[in-house]
Amino acid sequence: MEAVTCTTKNNQQTVAFGQELTIFQVDDIHQAMLLGIDFEKDVYLDLSQIKEFDTTGVQLLIALNKSITSNGKKTYLSEVSEDAQSCLELFNITDLFAAAHA
């Protein structure tokens, strides 16, 4: 899987991350997100594949959330791996993201 993929299906925009959200991938991920995300729509984050997560990855998610919410939209967590969930909880940022609705 690529570092990040951005897709839109049935008007639902999803950003799916690969296995790593670390300083080593953040530039590539950031560029792909800038090209692939419509900041005028809600975004669903798929963190289900993440196995490695560091503070740079946390900063990237916080910045993404800020960009989306500044346009009056929401960032949802749709799927989260155990490793990603642990990191989100460790940095106490789980509440930044809305729970995905069906």
Side-chain angles (χ1 to χ4, degrees):
M1 179 179 209
E2 295 179 37
V4 65
T5 55
C6 303
T7 58
T8 302
K9 184 177 179 183
N10 299 329
N11 208 31
Q12 179 174 315
Q13 186 173 206
T14 301
V15 178
F17 294 91
Q19 293 187 353
E20 297 179 40
L21 188 50
T22 67
I23 194 168
F24 302 108
Q25 291 78 30
V26 79
D27 285 335
D28 293 338
I29 291 170
H30 183 251
Q31 288 303 313
M33 287 172 28
L34 288 176
L35 296 173
I37 294 177
D38 179 353
F39 290 94
E40 298 298 320
K41 293 182 179 180
D42 292 339
V43 173
Y44 292 79
L45 300 177
D46 179 348
L47 309 178
S48 63
Q49 299 302 308
I50 291 182
K51 296 195 183 317
E52 290 187 45
F53 207 135
D54 68 10
T55 55
T56 304
V58 170
Q59 290 172 328
L60 182 70
L61 290 182
I62 291 170
L64 174 62
N65 183 65
K66 185 175 181 179
S67 295
I68 293 165
T69 58
S70 70
N71 287 320
K73 300 302 176 183
K74 290 187 179 181
T75 309
Y76 295 94
L77 292 177
S78 61
E79 296 183 49
V80 183
S81 71
E82 241 181 74
D83 294 323
Q85 184 66 38
S86 294
C87 190
L88 295 172
E89 289 173 0
L90 176 68
F91 289 97
N92 198 29
I93 63 167
T94 306
D95 292 344
L96 285 180
F97 309 101
H101 47 68

PDB file of all heavy atoms in Angstrom, residues 72-94:
ATOM      1  N   GLY A  72     -15.303  24.566   8.128  1.00  0.00           N
ATOM      2  CA  GLY A  72     -16.627  24.180   8.604  1.00  0.00           C
ATOM      3  C   GLY A  72     -16.979  22.724   8.369  1.00  0.00           C
ATOM      4  O   GLY A  72     -18.138  22.333   8.473  1.00  0.00           O
ATOM      5  N   LYS A  73     -15.995  21.913   8.061  1.00  0.00           N
ATOM      6  CA  LYS A  73     -16.220  20.490   7.810  1.00  0.00           C
ATOM      7  C   LYS A  73     -15.702  19.683   8.986  1.00  0.00           C
ATOM      8  O   LYS A  73     -15.124  20.217   9.919  1.00  0.00           O
ATOM      9  CB  LYS A  73     -15.528  20.058   6.505  1.00  0.00           C
ATOM     10  CG  LYS A  73     -16.040  20.801   5.293  1.00  0.00           C
ATOM     11  CD  LYS A  73     -17.529  20.594   5.131  1.00  0.00           C
ATOM     12  CE  LYS A  73     -18.087  21.403   3.988  1.00  0.00           C
ATOM     13  NZ  LYS A  73     -19.530  21.267   3.868  1.00  0.00           N
ATOM     14  N   LYS A  74     -15.896  18.362   8.944  1.00  0.00           N
ATOM     15  CA  LYS A  74     -15.469  17.491  10.038  1.00  0.00           C
ATOM     16  C   LYS A  74     -14.493  16.438   9.548  1.00  0.00           C
ATOM     17  O   LYS A  74     -14.506  16.044   8.389  1.00  0.00           O
ATOM     18  CB  LYS A  74     -16.673  16.792  10.672  1.00  0.00           C
ATOM     19  CG  LYS A  74     -17.562  17.721  11.452  1.00  0.00           C
ATOM     20  CD  LYS A  74     -18.627  16.945  12.180  1.00  0.00           C
ATOM     21  CE  LYS A  74     -19.499  17.897  12.989  1.00  0.00           C
ATOM     22  NZ  LYS A  74     -20.524  17.184  13.724  1.00  0.00           N
ATOM     23  N   THR A  75     -13.665  15.988  10.487  1.00  0.00           N
ATOM     24  CA  THR A  75     -12.750  14.874  10.257  1.00  0.00           C
ATOM     25  C   THR A  75     -13.233  13.711  11.108  1.00  0.00           C
ATOM     26  O   THR A  75     -13.380  13.853  12.321  1.00  0.00           O
ATOM     27  CB  THR A  75     -11.313  15.249  10.669  1.00  0.00           C
ATOM     28  OG1 THR A  75     -10.956  16.472  10.050  1.00  0.00           O
ATOM     29  CG2 THR A  75     -10.339  14.167  10.253  1.00  0.00           C
ATOM     30  N   TYR A  76     -13.492  12.589  10.456  1.00  0.00           N
ATOM     31  CA  TYR A  76     -13.997  11.403  11.147  1.00  0.00           C
ATOM     32  C   TYR A  76     -12.928  10.319  11.184  1.00  0.00           C
ATOM     33  O   TYR A  76     -12.145  10.181  10.243  1.00  0.00           O
ATOM     34  CB  TYR A  76     -15.215  10.834  10.416  1.00  0.00           C
ATOM     35  CG  TYR A  76     -16.409  11.736  10.407  1.00  0.00           C
ATOM     36  CD1 TYR A  76     -16.646  12.604   9.339  1.00  0.00           C
ATOM     37  CD2 TYR A  76     -17.314  11.725  11.460  1.00  0.00           C
ATOM     38  CE1 TYR A  76     -17.760  13.431   9.338  1.00  0.00           C
ATOM     39  CE2 TYR A  76     -18.429  12.550  11.467  1.00  0.00           C
ATOM     40  CZ  TYR A  76     -18.642  13.410  10.403  1.00  0.00           C
ATOM     41  OH  TYR A  76     -19.729  14.231  10.401  1.00  0.00           O
ATOM     42  N   LEU A  77     -12.903   9.547  12.253  1.00  0.00           N
ATOM     43  CA  LEU A  77     -12.098   8.334  12.296  1.00  0.00           C
ATOM     44  C   LEU A  77     -12.999   7.190  11.864  1.00  0.00           C
ATOM     45  O   LEU A  77     -13.973   6.874  12.544  1.00  0.00           O
ATOM     46  CB  LEU A  77     -11.573   8.069  13.716  1.00  0.00           C
ATOM     47  CG  LEU A  77     -10.538   9.046  14.246  1.00  0.00           C
ATOM     48  CD1 LEU A  77     -10.183   8.696  15.689  1.00  0.00           C
ATOM     49  CD2 LEU A  77      -9.286   9.048  13.388  1.00  0.00           C
ATOM     50  N   SER A  78     -12.686   6.589  10.721  1.00  0.00           N
ATOM     51  CA  SER A  78     -13.548   5.506  10.245  1.00  0.00           C
ATOM     52  C   SER A  78     -13.033   4.151  10.697  1.00  0.00           C
ATOM     53  O   SER A  78     -13.808   3.311  11.141  1.00  0.00           O
ATOM     54  CB  SER A  78     -13.690   5.547   8.726  1.00  0.00           C
ATOM     55  OG  SER A  78     -12.448   5.387   8.098  1.00  0.00           O
ATOM     56  N   GLU A  79     -11.737   3.927  10.585  1.00  0.00           N
ATOM     57  CA  GLU A  79     -11.129   2.682  11.028  1.00  0.00           C
ATOM     58  C   GLU A  79      -9.780   3.009  11.644  1.00  0.00           C
ATOM     59  O   GLU A  79      -9.040   3.828  11.110  1.00  0.00           O
ATOM     60  CB  GLU A  79     -10.937   1.715   9.857  1.00  0.00           C
ATOM     61  CG  GLU A  79     -12.245   1.265   9.220  1.00  0.00           C
ATOM     62  CD  GLU A  79     -12.001   0.262   8.119  1.00  0.00           C
ATOM     63  OE1 GLU A  79     -11.254  -0.709   8.352  1.00  0.00           O
ATOM     64  OE2 GLU A  79     -12.554   0.454   7.028  1.00  0.00           O
ATOM     65  N   VAL A  80      -9.473   2.353  12.766  1.00  0.00           N
ATOM     66  CA  VAL A  80      -8.236   2.665  13.488  1.00  0.00           C
ATOM     67  C   VAL A  80      -7.593   1.368  13.986  1.00  0.00           C
ATOM     68  O   VAL A  80      -8.256   0.556  14.633  1.00  0.00           O
ATOM     69  CB  VAL A  80      -8.523   3.590  14.697  1.00  0.00           C
ATOM     70  CG1 VAL A  80      -7.235   3.981  15.406  1.00  0.00           C
ATOM     71  CG2 VAL A  80      -9.298   4.837  14.268  1.00  0.00           C
ATOM     72  N   SER A  81      -6.318   1.189  13.675  1.00  0.00           N
ATOM     73  CA  SER A  81      -5.597   0.013  14.181  1.00  0.00           C
ATOM     74  C   SER A  81      -5.356   0.178  15.676  1.00  0.00           C
ATOM     75  O   SER A  81      -5.461   1.276  16.224  1.00  0.00           O
ATOM     76  CB  SER A  81      -4.256  -0.146  13.461  1.00  0.00           C
ATOM     77  OG  SER A  81      -3.358   0.867  13.868  1.00  0.00           O
ATOM     78  N   GLU A  82      -5.011  -0.912  16.321  1.00  0.00           N
ATOM     79  CA  GLU A  82      -4.698  -0.862  17.754  1.00  0.00           C
ATOM     80  C   GLU A  82      -3.523   0.072  18.030  1.00  0.00           C
ATOM     81  O   GLU A  82      -3.541   0.846  18.986  1.00  0.00           O
ATOM     82  CB  GLU A  82      -4.351  -2.275  18.257  1.00  0.00           C
ATOM     83  CG  GLU A  82      -5.282  -2.784  19.330  1.00  0.00           C
ATOM     84  CD  GLU A  82      -4.863  -4.173  19.789  1.00  0.00           C
ATOM     85  OE1 GLU A  82      -3.857  -4.284  20.515  1.00  0.00           O
ATOM     86  OE2 GLU A  82      -5.559  -5.128  19.399  1.00  0.00           O
ATOM     87  N   ASP A  83      -2.498  -0.009  17.175  1.00  0.00           N
ATOM     88  CA  ASP A  83      -1.314   0.835  17.349  1.00  0.00           C
ATOM     89  C   ASP A  83      -1.667   2.321  17.193  1.00  0.00           C
ATOM     90  O   ASP A  83      -1.212   3.157  17.984  1.00  0.00           O
ATOM     91  CB  ASP A  83      -0.228   0.462  16.337  1.00  0.00           C
ATOM     92  CG  ASP A  83       0.318  -0.940  16.570  1.00  0.00           C
ATOM     93  OD1 ASP A  83       0.453  -1.343  17.743  1.00  0.00           O
ATOM     94  OD2 ASP A  83       0.612  -1.622  15.568  1.00  0.00           O
ATOM     95  N   ALA A  84      -2.467   2.645  16.189  1.00  0.00           N
ATOM     96  CA  ALA A  84      -2.869   4.039  15.994  1.00  0.00           C
ATOM     97  C   ALA A  84      -3.740   4.516  17.148  1.00  0.00           C
ATOM     98  O   ALA A  84      -3.574   5.636  17.640  1.00  0.00           O
ATOM     99  CB  ALA A  84      -3.600   4.188  14.664  1.00  0.00           C
ATOM    100  N   GLN A  85      -4.660   3.678  17.600  1.00  0.00           N
ATOM    101  CA  GLN A  85      -5.539   4.039  18.715  1.00  0.00           C
ATOM    102  C   GLN A  85      -4.720   4.329  19.969  1.00  0.00           C
ATOM    103  O   GLN A  85      -4.975   5.312  20.666  1.00  0.00           O
ATOM    104  CB  GLN A  85      -6.553   2.933  18.995  1.00  0.00           C
ATOM    105  CG  GLN A  85      -7.568   3.271  20.078  1.00  0.00           C
ATOM    106  CD  GLN A  85      -8.497   4.401  19.670  1.00  0.00           C
ATOM    107  OE1 GLN A  85      -8.905   4.500  18.509  1.00  0.00           O
ATOM    108  NE2 GLN A  85      -8.828   5.267  20.603  1.00  0.00           N
ATOM    109  N   SER A  86      -3.726   3.510  20.240  1.00  0.00           N
ATOM    110  CA  SER A  86      -2.868   3.712  21.409  1.00  0.00           C
ATOM    111  C   SER A  86      -2.149   5.049  21.331  1.00  0.00           C
ATOM    112  O   SER A  86      -2.052   5.775  22.327  1.00  0.00           O
ATOM    113  CB  SER A  86      -1.832   2.588  21.518  1.00  0.00           C
ATOM    114  OG  SER A  86      -2.462   1.368  21.783  1.00  0.00           O
ATOM    115  N   CYS A  87      -1.666   5.393  20.150  1.00  0.00           N
ATOM    116  CA  CYS A  87      -0.948   6.657  19.975  1.00  0.00           C
ATOM    117  C   CYS A  87      -1.890   7.844  20.126  1.00  0.00           C
ATOM    118  O   CYS A  87      -1.566   8.827  20.799  1.00  0.00           O
ATOM    119  CB  CYS A  87      -0.266   6.681  18.611  1.00  0.00           C
ATOM    120  SG  CYS A  87       0.866   8.059  18.413  1.00  0.00           S
ATOM    121  N   LEU A  88      -3.072   7.767  19.533  1.00  0.00           N
ATOM    122  CA  LEU A  88      -4.056   8.850  19.659  1.00  0.00           C
ATOM    123  C   LEU A  88      -4.429   9.066  21.120  1.00  0.00           C
ATOM    124  O   LEU A  88      -4.559  10.209  21.579  1.00  0.00           O
ATOM    125  CB  LEU A  88      -5.303   8.539  18.831  1.00  0.00           C
ATOM    126  CG  LEU A  88      -5.124   8.481  17.312  1.00  0.00           C
ATOM    127  CD1 LEU A  88      -6.408   7.978  16.660  1.00  0.00           C
ATOM    128  CD2 LEU A  88      -4.720   9.825  16.749  1.00  0.00           C
ATOM    129  N   GLU A  89      -4.589   7.977  21.846  1.00  0.00           N
ATOM    130  CA  GLU A  89      -4.931   8.074  23.268  1.00  0.00           C
ATOM    131  C   GLU A  89      -3.758   8.617  24.079  1.00  0.00           C
ATOM    132  O   GLU A  89      -3.946   9.433  24.984  1.00  0.00           O
ATOM    133  CB  GLU A  89      -5.367   6.712  23.803  1.00  0.00           C
ATOM    134  CG  GLU A  89      -6.720   6.289  23.279  1.00  0.00           C
ATOM    135  CD  GLU A  89      -7.106   4.861  23.648  1.00  0.00           C
ATOM    136  OE1 GLU A  89      -6.308   4.163  24.323  1.00  0.00           O
ATOM    137  OE2 GLU A  89      -8.196   4.432  23.233  1.00  0.00           O
ATOM    138  N   LEU A  90      -2.540   8.186  23.761  1.00  0.00           N
ATOM    139  CA  LEU A  90      -1.350   8.649  24.476  1.00  0.00           C
ATOM    140  C   LEU A  90      -1.213  10.171  24.379  1.00  0.00           C
ATOM    141  O   LEU A  90      -0.903  10.833  25.365  1.00  0.00           O
ATOM    142  CB  LEU A  90      -0.093   7.983  23.907  1.00  0.00           C
ATOM    143  CG  LEU A  90       1.243   8.441  24.481  1.00  0.00           C
ATOM    144  CD1 LEU A  90       1.367   8.005  25.945  1.00  0.00           C
ATOM    145  CD2 LEU A  90       2.392   7.880  23.662  1.00  0.00           C
ATOM    146  N   PHE A  91      -1.482  10.713  23.193  1.00  0.00           N
ATOM    147  CA  PHE A  91      -1.377  12.154  22.993  1.00  0.00           C
ATOM    148  C   PHE A  91      -2.684  12.891  23.269  1.00  0.00           C
ATOM    149  O   PHE A  91      -2.775  14.089  23.051  1.00  0.00           O
ATOM    150  CB  PHE A  91      -0.854  12.458  21.592  1.00  0.00           C
ATOM    151  CG  PHE A  91       0.590  12.112  21.436  1.00  0.00           C
ATOM    152  CD1 PHE A  91       0.976  10.908  20.881  1.00  0.00           C
ATOM    153  CD2 PHE A  91       1.572  12.977  21.891  1.00  0.00           C
ATOM    154  CE1 PHE A  91       2.311  10.579  20.765  1.00  0.00           C
ATOM    155  CE2 PHE A  91       2.910  12.653  21.775  1.00  0.00           C
ATOM    156  CZ  PHE A  91       3.283  11.448  21.214  1.00  0.00           C
ATOM    157  N   ASN A  92      -3.679  12.138  23.726  1.00  0.00           N
ATOM    158  CA  ASN A  92      -4.963  12.712  24.119  1.00  0.00           C
ATOM    159  C   ASN A  92      -5.600  13.548  23.000  1.00  0.00           C
ATOM    160  O   ASN A  92      -6.078  14.662  23.234  1.00  0.00           O
ATOM    161  CB  ASN A  92      -4.811  13.539  25.402  1.00  0.00           C
ATOM    162  CG  ASN A  92      -6.133  13.790  26.084  1.00  0.00           C
ATOM    163  OD1 ASN A  92      -7.055  12.989  25.964  1.00  0.00           O
ATOM    164  ND2 ASN A  92      -6.219  14.903  26.792  1.00  0.00           N
ATOM    165  N   ILE A  93      -5.586  13.008  21.782  1.00  0.00           N
ATOM    166  CA  ILE A  93      -6.172  13.745  20.658  1.00  0.00           C
ATOM    167  C   ILE A  93      -7.350  13.010  20.018  1.00  0.00           C
ATOM    168  O   ILE A  93      -7.869  13.465  19.001  1.00  0.00           O
ATOM    169  CB  ILE A  93      -5.125  14.089  19.585  1.00  0.00           C
ATOM    170  CG1 ILE A  93      -4.520  12.830  18.958  1.00  0.00           C
ATOM    171  CG2 ILE A  93      -4.059  15.013  20.141  1.00  0.00           C
ATOM    172  CD1 ILE A  93      -3.724  13.095  17.705  1.00  0.00           C
ATOM    173  N   THR A  94      -7.776  11.930  20.612  1.00  0.00           N
ATOM    174  CA  THR A  94      -8.899  11.167  20.052  1.00  0.00           C
ATOM    175  C   THR A  94     -10.135  12.050  19.880  1.00  0.00           C
ATOM    176  O   THR A  94     -10.856  11.938  18.895  1.00  0.00           O
ATOM    177  CB  THR A  94      -9.220   9.956  20.948  1.00  0.00           C
ATOM    178  OG1 THR A  94      -8.028   9.196  21.119  1.00  0.00           O
ATOM    179  CG2 THR A  94     -10.271   9.065  20.322  1.00  0.00           C
TER     180      THR A  94
END
